[in-house]
Protein backbone atom coordinates (compact mmCIF):
# COMPACT_ATOMS: atom_id res chain seq x y z
CA UNK A 1 0.00 0.00 0.00
CA UNK A 2 1.44 3.37 -1.00
CA UNK A 3 2.37 5.69 1.77
CA UNK A 4 0.30 8.92 1.85
CA UNK A 5 2.25 11.98 0.81
CA UNK A 6 2.38 15.14 2.85
CA UNK A 7 0.51 18.10 1.34
CA UNK A 8 2.70 20.59 -0.50
CA UNK A 9 3.92 23.58 1.52
CA UNK A 10 1.94 26.83 1.27
CA UNK A 11 2.71 28.89 -1.84
CA UNK A 12 4.80 31.46 -0.02
CA UNK A 13 7.07 28.72 1.34
CA UNK A 14 7.77 27.27 -2.09
CA UNK A 15 11.09 28.57 -3.51
CA UNK A 16 9.70 29.45 -6.95
CA UNK A 17 7.14 31.78 -5.32
CA UNK A 18 9.71 33.50 -3.18
CA UNK A 19 11.64 34.36 -6.32
CA UNK A 20 8.64 35.16 -8.53
CA UNK A 21 8.94 31.74 -10.21
CA UNK A 22 7.95 30.23 -13.51
CA UNK A 23 4.60 28.77 -12.47
CA UNK A 24 1.36 29.84 -14.13
CA UNK A 25 0.19 31.99 -11.22
CA UNK A 26 3.46 33.96 -11.11
CA UNK A 27 3.61 34.40 -14.88
CA UNK A 28 0.01 35.66 -15.02
CA UNK A 29 0.48 38.21 -12.22
CA UNK A 30 1.62 41.70 -13.28
CA UNK A 31 5.12 42.64 -12.28
CA UNK A 32 5.40 45.33 -9.60
CA UNK A 33 7.71 47.10 -12.05
CA UNK A 34 5.00 47.43 -14.69
CA UNK A 35 3.01 50.65 -14.88
CA UNK A 36 -0.63 50.82 -15.76
CA UNK A 37 -1.60 53.08 -18.63
CA UNK A 38 -3.18 55.58 -16.25
CA UNK A 39 0.00 55.68 -14.16
CA UNK A 40 2.03 56.24 -17.31
CA UNK A 41 -0.33 59.00 -18.47
CA UNK A 42 -0.06 60.66 -15.07
CA UNK A 43 3.74 60.50 -14.99
CA UNK A 44 3.80 62.33 -18.33
CA UNK A 45 1.21 64.94 -17.34
CA UNK A 46 1.34 68.54 -16.24
CA UNK A 47 -0.01 67.33 -12.89
CA UNK A 48 3.15 65.26 -12.30
CA UNK A 49 5.37 68.16 -13.35
CA UNK A 50 3.44 70.50 -11.03
CA UNK A 51 3.68 68.10 -8.08
CA UNK A 52 7.42 67.70 -8.63
CA UNK A 53 7.96 71.44 -9.05
CA UNK A 54 9.48 70.85 -12.51
CA UNK A 55 8.82 74.39 -13.77
CA UNK A 56 10.63 74.17 -17.13
CA UNK A 57 8.65 71.04 -18.06
CA UNK A 58 5.40 72.53 -16.74
CA UNK A 59 5.95 75.73 -18.76
CA UNK A 60 6.59 73.72 -21.94
CA UNK A 61 3.47 71.62 -21.39
CA UNK A 62 1.22 74.62 -20.74
CA UNK A 63 2.69 76.49 -23.73
CA UNK A 64 2.08 73.47 -25.97
CA UNK A 65 -1.45 72.83 -24.66
CA UNK A 66 -3.05 75.51 -22.43
CA UNK A 67 -5.66 72.94 -21.29
CA UNK A 68 -2.86 71.27 -19.30
CA UNK A 69 -3.14 74.13 -16.79
CA UNK A 70 -6.86 73.74 -16.25
CA UNK A 71 -7.90 70.14 -16.92
CA UNK A 72 -7.29 66.87 -15.12
CA UNK A 73 -4.75 64.62 -16.87
CA UNK A 74 -5.99 62.28 -19.59
CA UNK A 75 -7.37 59.10 -18.10
CA UNK A 76 -7.85 60.66 -14.66
CA UNK A 77 -11.00 59.60 -12.89
CA UNK A 78 -10.45 61.56 -9.68
CA UNK A 79 -10.46 65.04 -11.23
CA UNK A 80 -7.22 66.19 -9.60
CA UNK A 81 -5.77 68.93 -11.81
CA UNK A 82 -2.20 70.18 -12.00
CA UNK A 83 -3.23 72.96 -9.59
CA UNK A 84 -4.44 70.39 -7.02
CA UNK A 85 -1.11 68.55 -7.25
CA UNK A 86 1.01 71.70 -7.05
CA UNK A 87 -1.04 72.99 -4.10
CA UNK A 88 -0.82 69.72 -2.17
CA UNK A 89 2.94 69.59 -2.79
CA UNK A 90 3.43 73.21 -1.72
CA UNK A 91 5.08 74.27 -4.99
CA UNK A 92 4.37 78.00 -4.88
CA UNK A 93 6.04 78.76 -8.23
CA UNK A 94 4.05 76.01 -9.96
CA UNK A 95 0.81 77.25 -8.38
CA UNK A 96 1.59 80.78 -9.55
CA UNK A 97 2.38 79.62 -13.08
CA UNK A 98 -0.84 77.61 -13.31
CA UNK A 99 -2.98 80.47 -11.98
CA UNK A 100 -1.41 82.86 -14.50
CA UNK A 101 -2.18 80.31 -17.23
CA UNK A 102 -5.87 80.38 -16.30
CA UNK A 103 -6.28 77.59 -13.75
CA UNK A 104 -9.42 78.00 -11.63
CA UNK A 105 -8.58 78.27 -7.90
CA UNK A 106 -12.03 76.83 -7.10
CA UNK A 107 -11.89 73.74 -9.33
CA UNK A 108 -13.21 70.67 -7.51
CA UNK A 109 -12.16 67.04 -7.68
CA UNK A 110 -14.73 64.63 -9.04
CA UNK A 111 -15.67 62.58 -6.01
CA UNK A 112 -14.46 64.50 -2.97
CA UNK A 113 -15.16 68.03 -4.25
CA UNK A 114 -11.79 69.15 -2.85
CA UNK A 115 -10.38 72.42 -4.15
CA UNK A 116 -6.68 73.28 -4.40
CA UNK A 117 -7.17 75.34 -1.23
CA UNK A 118 -8.41 72.23 0.62
CA UNK A 119 -5.29 70.32 -0.51
CA UNK A 120 -2.86 73.10 0.44
CA UNK A 121 -4.55 73.73 3.80
CA UNK A 122 -4.53 70.02 4.66
CA UNK A 123 -0.79 69.90 3.91
CA UNK A 124 -0.09 73.13 5.84
CA UNK A 125 1.26 75.17 2.92
CA UNK A 126 0.34 78.66 4.11
CA UNK A 127 2.04 80.60 1.28
CA UNK A 128 0.20 78.54 -1.31
CA UNK A 129 -3.08 79.13 0.54
CA UNK A 130 -2.42 82.84 0.63
CA UNK A 131 -1.80 82.94 -3.12
CA UNK A 132 -4.92 80.88 -3.81
CA UNK A 133 -7.01 83.19 -1.61
CA UNK A 134 -5.61 86.25 -3.38
CA UNK A 135 -6.57 84.60 -6.66
CA UNK A 136 -10.19 84.17 -5.61
CA UNK A 137 -10.28 80.79 -3.88
CA UNK A 138 -13.39 80.41 -1.73
CA UNK A 139 -12.26 79.95 1.87
CA UNK A 140 -15.71 78.93 3.11
CA UNK A 141 -16.46 76.22 0.55
CA UNK A 142 -16.96 72.75 1.96
CA UNK A 143 -15.69 69.60 0.28
CA UNK A 144 -17.67 66.38 -0.14
CA UNK A 145 -17.59 65.87 3.63
CA UNK A 146 -18.65 69.47 4.30
CA UNK A 147 -15.18 70.36 5.61
CA UNK A 148 -13.77 73.80 4.83
CA UNK A 149 -10.07 74.44 4.19
CA UNK A 150 -9.83 75.85 7.74
CA UNK A 151 -11.20 72.58 9.11
CA UNK A 152 -8.71 70.63 6.99
CA UNK A 153 -5.87 72.69 8.45
CA UNK A 154 -7.18 72.24 12.00
CA UNK A 155 -7.49 68.49 11.51
CA UNK A 156 -3.76 68.42 10.88
CA UNK A 157 -3.03 70.44 14.03
CA UNK A 158 -2.30 73.58 12.05
CA UNK A 159 -4.19 75.76 14.50
CA UNK A 160 -2.53 79.08 13.68
CA UNK A 161 -2.98 78.38 10.01
CA UNK A 162 -6.61 77.40 10.62
CA UNK A 163 -7.16 80.71 12.39
CA UNK A 164 -5.70 82.55 9.39
CA UNK A 165 -8.08 80.79 6.98
CA UNK A 166 -11.07 81.36 9.25
CA UNK A 167 -10.21 85.03 9.61
CA UNK A 168 -9.79 85.32 5.85
CA UNK A 169 -13.22 83.72 5.31
CA UNK A 170 -14.95 86.06 7.76
CA UNK A 171 -13.24 89.14 6.37
CA UNK A 172 -14.19 88.24 2.79
CA UNK A 173 -17.76 87.47 3.92
CA UNK A 174 -18.18 90.80 5.73
CA UNK A 175 -16.56 92.78 2.93
CA UNK A 176 -18.81 91.20 0.31
CA UNK A 177 -21.84 91.77 2.58
CA UNK A 178 -21.11 95.48 3.15
CA UNK A 179 -20.05 96.13 -0.43
CA UNK A 180 -23.33 94.70 -1.70
CA UNK A 181 -25.23 97.75 -0.40
Amino acid sequence: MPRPQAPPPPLLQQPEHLLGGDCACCLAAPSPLQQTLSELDHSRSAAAAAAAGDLPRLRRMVAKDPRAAVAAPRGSTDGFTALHHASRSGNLAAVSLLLEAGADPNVETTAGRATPLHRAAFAGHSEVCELLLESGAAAGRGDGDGETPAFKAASQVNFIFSFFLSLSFFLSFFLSFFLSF
Side-chain angles (χ1 to χ4, degrees):
M1 176 161 199
R3 187 172 153 188
Q5 293 184 340
L11 284 179
L12 293 178
Q13 291 180 0
Q14 295 177 17
E16 64 270 14
H17 287 277
L18 293 175
L19 301 174
D22 296 333
C23 64
C25 63
C26 285
L27 292 175
S31 163
L33 300 177
Q34 292 175 326
Q35 285 184 308
T36 64
L37 289 177
S38 63
E39 290 171 333
L40 188 58
D41 281 343
H42 176 76
S43 70
R44 295 178 177 173
S45 71
D54 188 348
L55 294 177
R57 184 170 153 226
L58 184 59
R59 275 191 197 96
R60 283 192 309 272
M61 295 178 98
V62 170
K64 182 178 177 183
D65 182 4
R67 292 176 300 170
V70 297
R74 182 181 66 171
S76 170
T77 57
D78 57 16
F80 276 84
T81 65
L83 187 58
H84 284 99
H85 286 280
S87 298
R88 179 174 57 192
S89 299
N91 290 310
L92 187 62
V95 170
S96 179
L97 186 150
L98 292 165
L99 289 169
E100 288 172 12
D104 179 4
N106 291 306
V107 63
E108 295 180 346
T109 58
T110 311
R113 295 185 27 228
T115 65
L117 185 58
H118 284 99
R119 305 314 312 144
F122 182 78
H125 300 301
S126 59
E127 290 179 334
V128 171
C129 287
E130 188 175 341
L131 178 57
L132 289 167
L133 288 166
E134 289 170 1
S135 300
R141 178 180 279 178
D143 63 5
D145 297 322
E147 298 174 353
T148 64
F151 185 87
K152 292 287 187 190
S155 71
Q156 294 301 305
V157 194
N158 295 316
F159 295 114
I160 294 172
F161 185 57
S162 174
F163 174 76
F164 165 74
L165 283 174
S166 297
L167 182 62
S168 173
F169 167 69
F170 288 118
L171 287 176
S172 64
F173 174 76
F174 285 119
L175 284 175
S176 64
F177 177 75
F178 287 115
L179 293 176
S180 66
F181 288 108

